[in-house]
Amino acid sequence: MRTTTLGSKGPEVGVVGLGCMGMTFAYDPGGRDEATSVAVVRQALDLGVTLIDTADAYGPHTNEELVGRALAGPYRERAVLATKVGLVVTGAEDGRPVYGRDGRPEHIRRSIDDSLRRLGTDYVDLYQLHRIDEEVPVEETWGALAEAVAAGKVREIGLSEVSVEEIKRAAAIHPVASVQSELSLWTRDPVAEVLPYCEEQGIAFLPFSPLGRGFLAGRFASFDDLPADDMRRRLPRFQQDALRANLAIVGTARQIADRHGATPAQVALAWVLAQGRYVVPIPGTKTPAYLADNAGAADLVLSAADLAELDALPAAEGTRY
């Protein structure tokens, strides 16, 4: 796979990464298989998909544990390992965890040690603040992440779902290596301000859900196609009326894919990759075939006409959450 760097000063990574959340959390609980997920993480490394992304909130904790098992032994040094901190379970509703935010420095200091233990490593390449805690000044939270760098527990630190102003406040304390936010053909909010600023500053931009939680791959034609107890059944864009309207986005991606002998997922990822030099999407999958398909997007070059057609797509029907 062709490579880029994690921002202007970070380590080399494949231009497509791997999000691991769905291996243990949120999506298709009946379709999870740990042995297959471990194999997918290792297959990713063989394909040049080297940025492996997890978080302590996924599960919680079970995702880091699985990734740690997958990267045991010789696999660890082949990966650029990223995890996140700052979301915590505050209760439960209908048997599902309810999350809050905790950006207190003492929580950050405790959590990095817990993450390292679960991941079975003595450092992570990228430690990201999952969400800013509005009750704690970002400077205090970011300072605690910077302490983890100074202690050798973390190589680089990043932010998630932030504004340009919040990036600037953090960068005044310690360099920001990356910003992770949702970006896809049906979620383009960062294109206006955050993504251009990251490109200007040499900050890596890591789009999560670049396939619209699987929708842009053309895998769902109706609400009933969603697996039982899947998180997407509660999201506005997957409700039947919105989903039907949003199929037009997939239709255009499919038409362009047919012209290139590609898949809609590869077109959706290629559009994301075209948004900047340091853009590294992290599509999630626990399926070997989908992993290979996603990795193949790195070889798809869309024409200016293709990109213009995709840029002209209407906004998605329904909000993200």
Side-chain angles (χ1 to χ4, degrees):
M1 178 181 290
R2 62 187 176 93
T3 62
T4 185
T5 53
L6 197 65
S8 59
K9 300 178 181 178
E12 184 178 69
V13 292
V15 294
V16 176
L18 175 64
C20 296
M21 181 184 78
M23 294 177 177
T24 65
F25 178 70
Y27 302 148
D28 191 16
R32 296 174 192 155
D33 176 79
E34 180 172 320
T36 301
S37 292
V38 166
V40 163
V41 173
R42 294 174 179 177
Q43 178 190 0
L45 299 177
D46 291 339
L47 292 171
V49 177
T50 52
L51 179 62
I52 308 297
D53 182 84
T54 182
D56 62 3
Y58 301 157
H61 310 318
T62 56
N63 205 255
E64 285 186 328
E65 292 167 351
L66 183 147
V67 170
R69 289 190 286 272
L71 294 181
Y75 298 98
R76 171 64 187 94
E77 293 306 313
R78 296 173 60 191
V80 176
L81 178 58
T83 192
K84 297 184 281 294
V85 65
L87 286 183
V88 294
V89 176
T90 59
E93 184 176 306
D94 297 328
R96 302 182 184 94
V98 174
Y99 284 91
R101 305 182 183 195
D102 192 341
R104 296 172 301 154
E106 57 267 32
H107 175 72
I108 305 299
R109 296 183 189 110
R110 181 173 62 251
S111 294
I112 182 56
D113 291 334
D114 291 341
S115 287
L116 292 175
R117 174 179 50 79
R118 287 188 291 266
L119 290 164
T121 185
D122 56 4
Y123 74 98
V124 293
D125 297 281
L126 178 62
Y127 199 42
Q128 303 159 98
L129 181 59
H130 211 154
R131 295 290 188 276
I132 287 179
D133 183 347
E134 295 178 354
E135 302 299 319
V136 180
V138 66
E139 290 82 359
E140 293 183 14
T141 306
W142 196 245
L145 271 77
E147 289 176 14
V149 176
K153 299 174 181 180
V154 173
R155 299 280 172 84
E156 307 276 359
I157 51 179
L159 294 160
S160 180
E161 296 275 85
V162 288
S163 66
V164 169
E165 181 59 32
E166 288 166 334
I167 298 171
K168 291 178 177 179
R169 288 173 60 188
I173 305 298
H174 187 278
V176 176
S178 67
V179 170
Q180 184 173 143
S181 288
E182 186 169 353
L183 174 66
S184 71
L185 287 174
W186 75 351
T187 299
R188 306 184 185 210
D189 311 60
V191 173
E193 295 181 359
V194 173
L195 181 53
Y197 182 77
C198 288
E199 187 78 6
E200 173 190 308
Q201 298 297 315
I203 297 170
F205 189 85
L206 312 181
F208 69 83
S209 297
L211 295 178
R213 299 177 173 82
F215 180 80
L216 298 172
R219 294 170 194 155
F220 306 109
S222 76
F223 180 83
D224 293 333
D225 291 338
L226 294 165
D229 202 29
D230 189 295
M231 180 191 82
R232 289 167 288 197
R233 284 179 168 261
R234 304 189 296 278
L235 299 179
R237 290 182 184 175
F238 286 90
Q239 303 312 302
Q240 188 57 49
D241 288 347
L243 188 151
R244 188 180 297 112
N246 290 328
L247 287 173
I249 300 174
V250 179
T252 297
R254 193 183 303 279
Q255 290 171 5
I256 294 173
D258 289 343
R259 298 202 293 262
H260 288 273
T263 66
Q266 289 173 338
V267 168
L269 289 172
W271 179 85
V272 171
L273 287 167
Q275 302 308 305
R277 177 181 175 186
Y278 301 121
V279 174
V280 182
I282 48 171
T285 186
K286 55 185 184 294
T287 305
Y290 292 160
L291 172 68
D293 190 56
N294 294 344
D299 298 322
L300 175 60
V301 179
L302 298 176
S303 69
D306 295 330
L307 292 170
E309 189 173 355
L310 294 168
D311 289 341
L313 284 168
E317 184 73 24
T319 56
R320 286 199 295 155
Y321 297 110

